[in-house]
Amino acid sequence: MERTKSKRSLKNPALKSKGHADGSPRYKPGKNLVYDQAYQQAVDSSPIFNEKVRSNSIRDSGILHNLKSTLLELEGIESGDNQGKYRAPYNEWKTALIPLAKQEVAELHQRFKEWSTQQVKEGKALKPQKNWPPQLLELRLKREALLDVRRKEAHYIKNLIEQKKAEKEKSRKAKILELGPMGKFTKRPEKDGRLTEIDGQKISYAGAVPFIDEPISPYYKMTVFDYRKMAEKWKEEKGLTMEQLRKKRDEIFKQKKMEALLNDEQPPTNLSADLVVTASKLSHWIKRLGITKNDWPSWPKNAKPIDEHSLENS
């Protein structure tokens, strides 16, 4: 009976070699008090989770502004000679916080293995021990807690990055055909001359031929060649070319002068702000002319989707 009691008294609390990817506690609350306290302390002292900690440090004050850099400092780069590291100031490569925390936990496991073997060599045990000695166990639980909180930080930062991406995509989609099919395009900053967007719609290439690659657009898969022809024709029909708008402006201005004279008022001599015709004022003129989404042109009869074209690669 005494031998059984002695064995039980040496048993460690249930330990887990792996934590959770999201950094949530690996042990149930109350199972390992040392771990619980270390985990909470690491959360409280984290500049990612604690605004007060951020505000007390110049270095940490922008930690939630440059999210990709923060994530790199936690996880390091994914591959290559410097995998698991990040570039610190002065071009120095440092081990990222999560790989570093993993190393420190692994080092403890190696120390325990060596200690366990030594117990047999010194005649203190007949076979390698499974139970951790108190000091090593306490250190293990503290290091596991820090590793788990580092993972929790990375999980939080990744979620913030995804939220920012979603917000950016939502903002981008709101600008798709914002003014209708006007044929306004954006080019890559490189010198290859390829288009990236037209009227807020993404552009992809089939060989050398650009086409609209925006599933929510009514012109999805239309070649940019057909789209631009359609846009030019539509603008002409709706009186939205710069020449037509200036002519419309002059008519309105002339009308205002006549109305002023009829009312015995001083006629205007300068154009008012609402009569200015520039590219930046297009939305104003579209609204003024009562043009809505219902007025957008239908898919031209002779225009085929890109996947129905026979194209040569280049």
Side-chain angles (χ1 to χ4, degrees):
M1 292 292 292
E2 287 299 316
R3 288 181 66 187
T4 306
K5 250 185 178 181
S6 176
K7 271 189 173 182
R8 282 179 182 170
S9 65
L10 291 173
K11 282 186 179 178
N12 297 152
L15 298 172
K16 294 182 180 179
S17 60
K18 289 186 178 180
H20 303 294
D22 65 358
S24 55
R26 69 177 69 192
Y27 301 114
K28 290 182 179 179
K31 290 290 183 182
N32 291 306
L33 294 179
V34 172
Y35 174 89
D36 293 346
Q37 292 170 359
Y39 187 94
Q40 190 58 51
Q41 185 178 9
V43 170
D44 292 342
S45 61
S46 167
I48 288 173
F49 298 127
N50 193 321
E51 193 277 332
K52 189 175 181 180
V53 174
R54 288 197 300 277
S55 63
N56 288 334
S57 167
I58 295 175
R59 181 183 179 279
D60 294 330
S61 59
I63 204 166
L64 295 184
H65 296 296
N66 197 341
L67 297 175
K68 289 185 178 179
S69 292
T70 300
L71 187 60
L72 270 177
E73 191 169 337
L74 283 164
E75 295 186 333
I77 60 176
E78 294 181 359
S79 60
D81 295 338
N82 291 305
Q83 183 177 1
K85 295 182 179 181
Y86 70 98
R87 197 188 294 274
Y90 307 106
N91 222 23
E92 179 186 2
W93 285 97
K94 285 189 175 182
T95 303
L97 296 174
I98 290 175
L100 182 61
K102 285 181 179 179
Q103 287 176 19
E104 291 176 343
V105 171
E107 285 169 6
L108 278 180
H109 279 270
Q110 182 60 34
R111 281 174 60 183
F112 169 71
K113 185 178 179 181
E114 292 168 359
W115 170 86
S116 181
T117 303
Q118 190 64 28
Q119 293 295 294
V120 177
K121 288 180 181 180
E122 294 178 2
K124 297 177 181 179
L126 292 174
K127 58 183 179 179
Q129 299 293 291
K130 292 183 179 180
N131 291 330
W132 286 58
Q135 287 183 330
L136 274 184
L137 174 61
E138 182 177 351
L139 199 51
R140 170 183 170 169
L141 292 171
K142 287 180 177 179
R143 289 188 179 180
E144 284 178 341
L146 181 59
L147 171 58
D148 291 343
V149 172
R150 292 293 185 229
R151 285 174 171 152
K152 182 181 177 72
E153 290 174 331
H155 183 72
Y156 179 75
I157 294 297
K158 286 175 182 176
N159 281 341
L160 285 182
I161 290 172
E162 289 306 310
Q163 287 175 23
K164 296 281 185 184
K165 282 182 181 177
E167 289 169 8
K168 188 175 180 180
E169 181 64 4
K170 184 179 179 181
S171 176
R172 187 193 72 81
K173 285 183 175 179
K175 294 178 181 178
I176 290 174
L177 291 163
E178 190 175 17
L179 302 178
M182 303 296 293
K184 184 180 179 182
F185 60 84
T186 305
K187 284 186 178 180
R188 288 184 185 178
E190 296 90 349
K191 295 179 180 179
D192 63 4
R194 292 197 167 203
L195 306 177
T196 55
E197 288 186 352
I198 189 162
D199 295 327
Q201 303 161 105
K202 285 181 184 176
I203 290 177
S204 294
Y205 278 75
V209 178
F211 67 94
I212 294 169
D213 194 7
E214 195 70 68
I216 66 172
S217 166
Y219 310 112
Y220 178 45
K221 292 189 176 182
M222 184 184 289
T223 65
V224 172
F225 173 77
D226 286 328
Y227 180 87
R228 291 178 79 163
K229 285 201 303 181
M230 176 192 75
E232 289 302 318
K233 183 180 178 183
W234 179 73
K235 285 192 296 182
E236 186 79 32
E237 289 173 351
K238 296 298 178 183
L240 289 173
T241 66
M242 285 295 163
E243 185 181 350
Q244 289 171 314
L245 289 176
R246 290 188 186 102
K247 187 176 179 181
K248 184 70 176 175
R249 172 201 64 194
D250 293 342
E251 290 173 359
I252 294 172
F253 189 55
K254 184 178 179 181
Q255 183 65 31
K256 283 189 173 186
K257 282 183 175 180
M258 291 178 61
E259 288 174 357
L261 291 171
L262 288 172
N263 294 322
D264 293 326
E265 296 173 355
Q266 182 67 32
T269 55
N270 296 314
L271 290 173
S272 55
D274 65 323
L275 290 179
V276 173
V277 174
T278 61
S280 63
K281 294 287 185 179
L282 269 175
S283 59
H284 161 75
W285 281 99
I286 288 170
K287 186 176 180 180
R288 184 168 196 155
L289 296 172
I291 298 170
T292 68
K293 187 175 181 179
N294 294 329
D295 297 304
W296 292 358
S298 300
W299 192 291
K301 290 181 180 179
N302 296 328
K304 294 188 295 185
I306 189 67
D307 41 20
E308 292 182 18
H309 280 269
S310 178
L311 303 170
E312 293 183 5
N313 291 327
S314 97

